[in-house]
Amino acid sequence: MLDTKNAEPTARDAERPAHADSDHPKIPRAKIGVLLANLGTPDGYDYWSMRRYLNEFLSDKRVIDYSPFVWQPLLQGVILTKRPFSSGAAYKSIWNNEAGESPLMTITKAQTAKLRERMQDRFGGDVRIEFCMRYGNPSTFTKVEEMIRDGCQKILFFPLYPQYAGATTATANDQFFRALMKAKWQPASRTVPPYFDRPDYIDALAQSIERAYGALETKPDMLVCSYHGVPKRYLMEGDPYHCQCQKTTRLLKERLGWDDTQITTTFQSRFGPEEWLQPYTVEEVARLAERGIKNIAVCAPAFSADCIETLEEINEEIRESFEHAGGERFTYIPCLNDDEAHISALEATITENLAGWT
């Protein structure tokens, strides 16, 4: 819970207003905050860390919108008894042991550091860049509280999801708004819209693919753009995610100068019994191999940073499905992460959305 009641500001430049009484609280110099938001990560891959993280994630009604009277007994019983073991093993296989954290945390820190340096060069100390996680730490509540205490009277909230989905962008925004509801002095706020069709984002994607292809001895026969999945029902209820994914692939194809035989769109990470957006990546790569397409590359345009869904699911499970079906060459193209072209696209997006504030 965000608690700013009677909280002393943390900013070093805090001082009492002119002509104020001696007991008036100190007020920091006004600043602008930019808060980047990613999905989240467990604090560790042990059973209890995984259970806490999965409980928070799978209890979010934006993610699983079944009736809690039906869902919670199942979640708290069978799922959270067994799934922390399998998910923990998956995280262990990709864990950054040197830093003691998940790759998503490492990459998000690097992205934030580069953006902070660029904002410092552009705006000096008037714009503060931080990051938070929707699930796990550092929490949205904690970071919003810190920014308010530091004097951020305006906050730009930036969910790091190129395509909008209720289960990603919307739930991140929800948590940001919940944090604002707890503030005594509520800052002015803005949220950054999805950037799935920005030319600089598409160009950054294309550059990463061109570099990857250029490093291979044999050019892949097909590029599979694998996006995280959502139930098909969400599309029918008005979620624009499917359409924005399709447009990202189309714009990428046009930027690369390819035709439809060289690129395709799929969806991964299906969970539960109902139908999700199709084709499913794990099944489609097997079909490609069975059709004689033996050399493929896979990228993940819905993820701003490599994480469990890319490093473990794509590069291990989906690779295995392709090779088991007869595929011979499988190349995973990493997410944009802290690539300079990606950072430039994020910087431009932030700067445009700060218009009128700076």
Side-chain angles (χ1 to χ4, degrees), residues 74-272:
L74 180 62
L75 176 63
Q76 301 301 327
V78 176
I79 295 174
L80 289 182
T81 298
K82 297 181 177 180
R83 194 173 179 89
F85 290 109
S86 59
S87 295
Y91 268 98
K92 184 177 181 180
S93 71
I94 65 165
W95 202 253
N96 182 347
N97 291 303
E98 182 177 349
E101 61 193 19
S102 74
L104 177 65
M105 179 67 76
T106 303
I107 294 165
T108 305
K109 286 179 178 178
Q111 291 171 328
T112 304
K114 287 189 174 182
L115 285 168
R116 186 178 289 138
E117 182 178 352
R118 293 195 182 200
M119 291 295 106
Q120 176 67 32
D121 291 342
R122 183 182 290 269
F123 299 115
D126 292 333
V127 176
R128 170 175 173 170
I129 307 286
E130 298 292 342
F131 77 91
C132 65
M133 299 294 183
R134 171 60 183 89
Y135 314 105
N137 297 306
S139 71
T140 307
F141 283 86
T142 299
K143 284 299 177 181
V144 170
E145 180 180 8
E146 287 180 3
M147 295 180 107
I148 292 174
R149 289 181 178 178
D150 194 43
C152 292
Q153 296 181 14
K154 300 173 182 176
I155 298 179
L156 177 67
F157 187 71
F158 191 175
L160 292 176
Y161 307 107
Q163 300 81 17
Y164 174 97
T168 54
T169 308
T171 189
N173 287 339
D174 289 346
Q175 197 75 339
F176 175 58
F177 298 143
R178 290 187 192 103
L180 294 180
M181 289 170 63
K182 302 295 183 181
K184 285 292 185 184
W185 186 350
Q186 191 179 69
S189 62
R190 294 175 179 172
T191 60
V192 175
Y195 55 99
F196 65 98
D197 57 354
R198 285 183 61 99
D200 48 9
Y201 160 69
I202 297 297
D203 192 56
L205 276 178
Q207 288 181 42
S208 72
I209 292 160
E210 289 167 341
R211 283 195 303 271
Y213 273 43
L216 298 172
E217 293 183 4
T218 305
K219 181 180 177 181
D221 303 312
M222 177 73 73
L223 174 65
V224 177
C225 296
S226 181
Y227 298 82
H228 70 77
V230 297
K232 182 179 179 181
R233 172 171 51 86
Y234 291 8
L235 166 64
M236 308 313 292
E237 292 171 350
D239 193 306
Y241 177 69
H242 177 267
C243 300
Q244 293 184 2
C245 292
Q246 294 287 357
K247 186 171 183 180
T248 294
T249 301
R250 176 175 63 79
L251 293 174
L252 178 60
K253 177 190 69 174
E254 293 171 356
R255 161 60 177 78
L256 291 167
W258 293 358
D259 59 40
D260 290 338
T261 65
Q262 297 170 285
I263 190 169
T264 189
T265 297
T266 63
F267 298 90
Q268 63 183 88
S269 309
R270 181 173 54 157
F271 179 83

